[in-house]
């Protein structure tokens, strides 16, 4: 079990999907969020769900394994930036592993490779494939807390720019498959066929 806390980001708008992807059924679970929580609880000692409002997960609030970090209520954005600010306020640890709810195929193998590549000098350690950076799969350190707060104040949500302008360790992966994101209905259907 990994000591670093893991945070599942499940507060997005899901505009490309046309419905809240965090609530879509997946792999025998009634929601993608439950699937991610179940499997990541076997890898990490502590797993949190980052969201705008935990009431949409009322089916999970009875589950003692479900821990939530809600975005600050006054912040009216669905960008992950709001989640990062709330997470740094909530957690005592200096770093955490971030994973988007819609990345169900990132396995312990990929997670371990990222953790092994992380250094104390890094602001972030992030997965990268030949198709680009995967900002919602990797480790973020508290050294970025002030930058996230400024980004939120300026309504700037470009994680790629933040990572390029910080001390980021990029971890290269040859295989794109684990990083399939379920952004569109066709990607969700493809994912269902891969289970």
């Amino acid at each position: 079990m990994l000591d670093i806390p893991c945070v599942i980001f499940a507060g997005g708008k899901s505009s490309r999907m046309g419905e809240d992807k965090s609530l879509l059924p997946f792999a025998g679970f009634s929601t993608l969020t439950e699937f991610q929580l179940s499997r990541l609880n076997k890898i990490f000692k502590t797993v949190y769900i980052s969201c705008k409002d935990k009431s949409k997960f009322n089916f999970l609030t009875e589950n003692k394994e479900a821990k939530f970090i809600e975005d600050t209520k006054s912040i009216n954005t669905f960008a992950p930036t709001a989640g990062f600010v709330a997470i740094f306020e909530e957690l005592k640890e200096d770093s955490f592993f971030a994973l988007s709810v819609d990345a169900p195929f990132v396995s312990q193998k990929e997670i371990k490779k990222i953790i092994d590549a992380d250094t104390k000098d890094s602001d972030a350690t992030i997965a990268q494939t030949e198709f680009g950076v995967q900002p919602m799969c990797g480790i973020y350190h508290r050294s970025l807390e002030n930058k996230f707060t400024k980004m939120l104040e300026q309504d700037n949500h470009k994680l790629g720019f933040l990572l390029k302008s910080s001390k980021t360790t990029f971890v290269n992966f040859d295989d794109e498959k684990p990083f399939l994101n379920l952004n569109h209905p066709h990607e969700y259907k493809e994912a269902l066929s891969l289970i």
Side-chain angles (χ1 to χ4, degrees):
M1 298 286 274
L2 300 169
D3 281 330
I4 186 171
C6 175
V7 181
I8 302 166
F9 278 75
K13 208 169 186 179
S14 303
S15 50
R16 289 172 287 182
M17 185 64 75
E19 59 185 304
D20 191 334
K21 56 191 168 187
S22 70
L23 301 177
L24 291 170
F26 196 80
F29 288 83
S30 59
T31 67
L32 188 53
T33 306
E34 287 171 279
F35 170 77
Q36 289 282 58
L37 182 64
S38 173
R39 75 183 192 89
L40 292 168
N41 267 328
K42 295 179 179 81
I43 300 170
F44 295 90
K45 282 184 183 171
T46 319
V47 180
Y48 298 89
I49 298 165
S50 167
C51 57
K52 282 196 76 58
D53 181 359
K54 70 179 181 185
S55 67
K56 75 174 182 176
F57 300 112
N58 60 358
F59 54 88
L60 265 180
T61 48
E62 297 303 311
N63 179 344
K64 64 181 186 316
E65 292 182 345
K67 298 176 180 70
F68 296 91
I69 301 175
E70 291 181 295
D71 295 356
T72 308
K73 292 286 187 232
S74 60
I75 295 167
N76 192 24
T77 178
F78 285 89
T81 326
F84 280 102
V85 170
I87 290 159
F88 280 122
E89 283 173 5
E90 177 83 16
L91 295 185
K92 307 276 187 286
E93 291 86 353
D94 283 330
S95 59
F96 66 92
F97 195 97
L99 187 65
S100 179
V101 72
D102 69 348
F105 299 114
V106 174
S107 73
Q108 186 160 0
K109 180 178 142 196
E110 289 80 38
I111 290 166
K112 183 89 168 56
K113 185 174 176 182
I114 293 165
I115 288 173
D116 288 347
D118 192 43
T119 69
K120 292 223 182 304
D121 296 331
S122 301
D123 291 322
T125 301
I126 304 296
Q128 178 175 257
T129 67
E130 64 175 302
F131 291 103
V133 174
Q134 305 289 330
M136 294 309 296
C137 180
I139 297 168
Y140 285 85
H141 290 264
R142 191 167 294 280
S143 51
L144 289 174
E145 184 174 11
N146 291 338
K147 282 189 179 182
F148 273 116
T149 303
K150 275 190 192 135
M151 284 171 70
L152 196 56
E153 286 166 2
Q154 295 164 0
D155 202 23
N156 167 14
H157 308 292
K158 294 183 171 72
L159 289 180
F161 179 77
L162 168 77
L163 294 170
K164 280 181 191 156
S165 62
S166 303
K167 286 186 285 186
T168 304
T169 301
F170 292 103
V171 185
N172 290 306
F173 291 89
D174 296 328
D175 189 2
E176 187 75 21
K177 289 189 202 82
F179 303 97
L180 173 67
N181 285 113
L182 317 187
N183 288 317
H184 300 91
H186 73 271
E187 288 163 332
Y188 173 56
K189 279 183 188 154
E190 183 186 345
L192 292 177
S193 73
L194 294 172
I195 299 166

